[in-house]
Amino acid sequence: GAGVSQTPSNKVTEKGKYVELRCDPISGHTALYWYRQSLGQGPEFLIYFQGTGAADDSGLPNDRFFAVRPEGSVSTLKIQRTERGDSAVYLCASSVQGRLGNEQFFGPGTRLTVL
Amino acid sequence: GEDVEQSLFLSVREGDSSVINCTYTDSSSTYLYWYKQEPGAGLQLLTYIFSNMDMKQDQRLTVLLNKKDKHLSLRIADTQTGDSAIYFCAEIMNQAGTALIFGKGTTLSVSS
């Protein structure tokens, strides 16, 4: 498809486990963003990539969260030692160049549930 | 801290106008956005306004910007049941980046 895709759509894990969430941005989009949306809240910024590098990771809540984008396309958000408070929908977005005014296109999200 | 405020709920009848309000924090924000989120679907950009504008109209949507009060509103004319969704106001997080700060969202319920 032409849009941003995320896999899996749902992930259930146990407290303390490691999870990886994948994002496939729109082809040709150099900017990629991860957000987290908790129930009843708006999306909260986690990290922004411009190409392969993390241009801004100020939203990552702690060092259990890490994200990579090794080839400047697909990105993986990695969460170590998951906690119940990590349960949320993780959203990925991409934009053409990440410049002001460039529209961010969002994927459908991955719903993470930590038991 | 940075916080975008919105009222949480709005209920209207089909055919009426809906007005969703938002207060943002950064008076230097260059772009302000309205996103729509339907159940089970991703966020969809509805419209945006550049900070040098007071108003922007796009079909049934009208965006009003009051920079002095840092107030943004979205008016939906002739509201339809298909407009039922959560609407998020968003501003640019900081001048160095292009990530967005979102409000908590306004749930619009349209009854027939």
Side-chain angles (χ1 to χ4, degrees), chain B residues 46-88:
Chain B
L46 274 182
T47 188
Y48 66 91
I49 189 166
F50 190 57
S51 59
N52 69 352
M53 301 168 68
D54 298 326
M55 184 181 86
K56 180 179 179 181
Q57 188 150 3
D58 184 1
Q59 299 182 357
R60 293 190 297 122
L61 305 178
T62 303
V63 179
L64 295 178
L65 175 61
N66 181 332
K67 286 189 67 177
K68 174 176 170 290
D69 295 336
K70 291 185 280 189
H71 184 265
L72 184 72
S73 67
L74 173 70
R75 178 177 181 269
I76 306 173
D78 187 25
T79 313
Q80 304 297 307
T81 54
D83 294 324
S84 294
I86 304 175
Y87 291 81
F88 293 94

Side-chain angles (χ1 to χ4, degrees), chain A residues 10-83:
Chain A
N10 280 283
K11 176 71 177 177
V12 180
T13 191
E14 294 179 341
K15 181 175 176 296
K17 299 289 189 183
Y18 167 82
V19 295
E20 289 189 352
L21 311 179
R22 176 187 167 110
C23 172
D24 278 89
I26 293 172
S27 178
H29 281 193
T30 61
L32 186 147
Y33 308 79
W34 283 99
Y35 294 84
R36 176 169 72 173
Q37 186 175 19
S38 300
L39 192 63
Q41 304 293 316
E44 292 178 291
F45 168 71
L46 295 176
I47 186 169
Y48 155 55
F49 287 89
Q50 184 61 262
T52 60
D56 184 348
D57 64 358
S58 63
L60 294 178
N62 52 59
D63 62 6
R64 295 186 298 105
F65 288 74
F66 189 70
V68 296
R69 195 185 184 200
E71 296 177 359
S73 179
V74 170
S75 177
T76 305
L77 178 66
K78 308 180 181 194
I79 310 174
Q80 298 177 321
R81 304 183 303 280
T82 52
E83 299 178 357

Side-chain angles (χ1 to χ4, degrees), chain A residues 33 35 37 42 45 98 103-104, chain B residues 37 45 88 98-100 103-104:
Chain A
Y33 308 79
Y35 294 84
Q37 186 175 19
F45 168 71
E103 179 179 351
Q104 293 184 29
Chain B
Q37 188 175 45
L45 178 65
F88 293 94
T98 60
L100 299 173
K104 291 185 178 181

